[in-house]
Every structure is written in structure tokens, then in C-alpha cells.
Amino acid sequence: MRHSSFESATTRAVGGVLLAALSVAACAAGAVTVAGQERDELAPADLDTFEPSIKQRIVEALERAAGEPTGETIGELGLLLHAYDRFDRAAACYARARQLAPRAFEWPYYQGVALAMAGDIDRAAAALEEALQLSPADVPARLRLADLQLEQGRLDASARSYRGVLRDRPGSAVAHYGLARALAARGGREAVPPDALRHYERAAALAPAFGAAHYALALAYRRLGDRSRAEASLARYHETRGQPAPLDDPLVARVATLRSGPYEDLARGRWLRDQGRHREAVEALARAARTSPTLVQAHVNLIAAYAAVGAADEAEAAYRAATALNPDLPEAHYNLGVLRLSQSREDEAIAAFERAVASNASHAGAHNNLGFVLAQRGRAGEAADHFRAALAANPAHRDAHFNLARLLLAERNNGEALAHFAEAAEIEDEKTSQYLYYLADACARSGRMADAERHALAARTRAVAHGQASLVERIDNDLRRLRERSGARQ
């Protein structure tokens, strides 16, 4: 059986609309000459909702913009608002900066990026077109405009823009990927034009960590009926998903450097944890907790992060800090339960998982792990109830399907077990070989020998692909015995 890994609390965005007084109309009207009045017009109404360190930076930027309203000072205020996802207000600042510095390329470019992020595609495309009048060779602007043209349904214009980039930068994976999308859109939902496939393949070859290209390639291969290539591309996607597109964009990188504070440390800590970089994750999450001691999500995530590096005492301290802020937070109890399981302290693990489901009856991970421990103790009926509760909360919970299937198989309920093993094997990753192996075993126990052999062969293919030598050996032995029995019957 399996139990789930640590879960993390959901990162909450900094709340509120940032600039209540600064509108597009206000920017277009021109700068107010009285510094104090301009400061009041630029000041966000909800400034106090920000973390103190972020608030101070915004106040300083406001003071500079109000005291000396230039393209640079108002543009820098826009950059700061952009960094904290206030795209509409950032775009308004960029519009004002353009009026004050009409020959500066960066302000219409940033305005286009911000408007695109705000969902205003038509105005974003217009701003990028104006930016390109100032700097026609800028590759990031050309690529972003091509993307927007594709979203607008201007397929011919988009394809021309991507081809123009490729004439200058034939090694641009982003341009190959974008051109493939434009060509594929011309072919309709079902068709995959050969030239689109060729550009998808080129994008994936040029940028092996470009997850979106691998996913698009997997879909294309699937539509063409090439299952083996589709599965290989999907596996590459799972390895690379979450990676940004390989676009070298110094101006947008400048925005990213402006973003700092506990919420960013929290987000970075979670990302580092997902990459398996646990010590770095601890550093980022601990910094978030120090900067904002009441940020409960940082403490919750630190329970898992400390446990991953073997720092059990620190993990327990993080649990105490989290529950002091919110005693009913299910993720905190869940993470403590996983820590206790790793320490073989099963009674305490059960208590922690029970607290998690008491706080949130739909916590699928806690139900699954509680069922896992109870099944280990021979309490099969209670365990099955928790596995079913996990699936009621999340019908796609893979471990719950697998754990329930094994329990049902032990009780000789082969038919239902088969259905749950099949659900567990539905997702394609490094675990699929094991789930298919159990599915083959369940089929054999049910007398479905042809299905058993088919699933065993599928499991073997995946086990070989993932270098799972011991599983390959077990499958080979089982296949040999299965064929011997089939031959004896004949």
C-alpha cells in the first residue's frame, strides 16, 4: 500500500485592488503639478493591507512619482505594481510614462505585457505594435505580439510574425512552438498538419525542458495514432511541467526582481520542495515565517520541509507554531501525521490524521493515510471506509484507488478490485508500471488470462523505460508462469 506525501497549504495572494484613485483617464489627463495632490491621487486606498516591507517600498515609489513626475518615476511605480500583479493599474502608470517619455521603448512594451496579463488582449496587441515601431527588431516584443495575434484568431498574421522571428533567430524554441500552434489552428481540432508537427518537434528538441512543447507534441502524436511517441512526450512533459518558456526577456526579468516578501518566499519554498531541493526550501520557508510570523501557510509548509531533511524537532516546532495560529488547520495535522508515520509512531499518526479529517471531512489525503495505517493494523473495514471517503472527496485520488483495490483483492472481491486498479493505472508516470502489474495480477486471479498477459506486458514496457530492473524481473517470472499455465490448459 501507499500513503500520500506531504501536502502544502494554499498560497494566498496579497489582497485588494492596489490603486483606487489612479485610472486610465487620470493618466491621460496629465500630471498634477501640486506634489501633495498627485501623491494622494496615486496612493492606493488599501495600502495598509500589504506586508510592512512591501508597503514601505510602495510608499517610497509613490513619493518619488508625486514629487518628481517623470516617465522614469511613474514607470518605476508601474513596475512595482506589475510585480505584485496589479496589472490594470500598472498599465495605467505605463500609459502615463509613455506620455512623459514618448521615445522610450520599455513603457509601451510593459504596457502591452501588463494589459495581456489583465486579459485586455486587443489593447495589449496595440501597445506592442506601438512598441515595435520604436524597436522593430526586439525579439521578446515580436514573440509576445505573435502570441496575442494567435489569441485574437489572426492566424495568418501570427504565423507571419513567428516566421519573421525564425528568420532572425532560427534556434528560437518559443517561435517554433508558436508557429506550430498557429499552423495547427489552421488545420482544425482533429487534423495535425505535417509542418505543425515538424515545428513542435523542433521546439522540443531545441529546449528539452520546454514542458508546453512536449505536451503539445504528445497531443499531436495521439491524434496521429502514434501511441508510443505520445507516451514518451507525455512523460517528458511530466518531468518538465512548471518550467517557464525559454524566452530571454530582460525587461520582464526586471519586474521579477522587484517582487520580494514573505509570500514570494513561501511560493519559492513550495516550488523548491516540488523540485526535491529540500534544504533550499527550508531556507525560503523559514525566511517567510521570520518575516511574517503570522503567515500560517509558511509554518504548515515548514513541517513537511523540515521532515524531508530529517529535522524532526524543527518540524514539530513548526507544527506548534501553525496550530497556535489556527488549531483547526487540516494541512498542519496531515503533515504531522506523515511525519509520525515516517517515525513509525503509528498511534500518533492516527491521532493526527483523525484531527485532519475532523477539521475537514473532505481531506482526501488524510482519509487515505488513515486508511493505510488502519489496514496495516488489520482493521480492514474501517480502512475501506476511509479509502472510500477519500475517493468521495477526490475521485481521482490515485493512492486511494490503489489501496482500496489491494484491500478488496485480499478479501477476494476481484471484480471491484480490478476497477480500482484500472483507475490507478490511468495516469501515465513512473508509478504506472507497478499499478499495471497489480492489475495484471488481479486479472489472473479472476481467470482473465489474456487480460493478465496484456497488462503485464504493458507494465514491463513502462518498467523498462523507467529503469525498474527488479520489477522487470518479477514481471518476466510471472509471465513465464502464466504462459506455462496457459499451455498446460491447452
Side-chain angles (χ1 to χ4, degrees), residues 104-124:
F105 161 79
E106 63 264 33
W107 304 131
Y109 177 68
Y110 280 130
Q111 185 185 17
V113 174
L115 287 169
M117 294 298 292
D120 194 341
I121 303 303
D122 292 341
R123 290 179 62 217

Side-chain angles (χ1 to χ4, degrees), residues 117-203:
M117 294 298 292
D120 194 341
I121 303 303
D122 292 341
R123 290 179 62 217
L128 288 175
E129 287 172 349
E130 291 164 7
L132 285 168
Q133 291 176 12
L134 296 170
S135 182
D138 189 83
V139 171
R142 294 161 71 189
L143 285 170
R144 290 185 187 277
L145 177 58
D147 289 345
L148 294 176
Q149 289 167 335
L150 183 56
E151 287 192 51
Q152 291 174 312
R154 298 163 59 194
L155 302 183
D156 291 342
S158 179
R160 282 196 301 272
S161 296
Y162 288 124
R163 290 188 194 279
V165 173
L166 287 173
R167 281 194 294 271
D168 298 335
R169 300 281 180 89
S172 170
V174 174
H176 280 289
Y177 171 71
L179 179 56
R181 290 176 63 212
L183 295 171
R186 284 176 177 172
R189 293 181 60 85
E190 299 302 325
V192 181
D195 48 355
L197 181 65
R198 185 172 62 254
H199 285 290
Y200 278 138
E201 290 173 333
R202 185 64 178 147

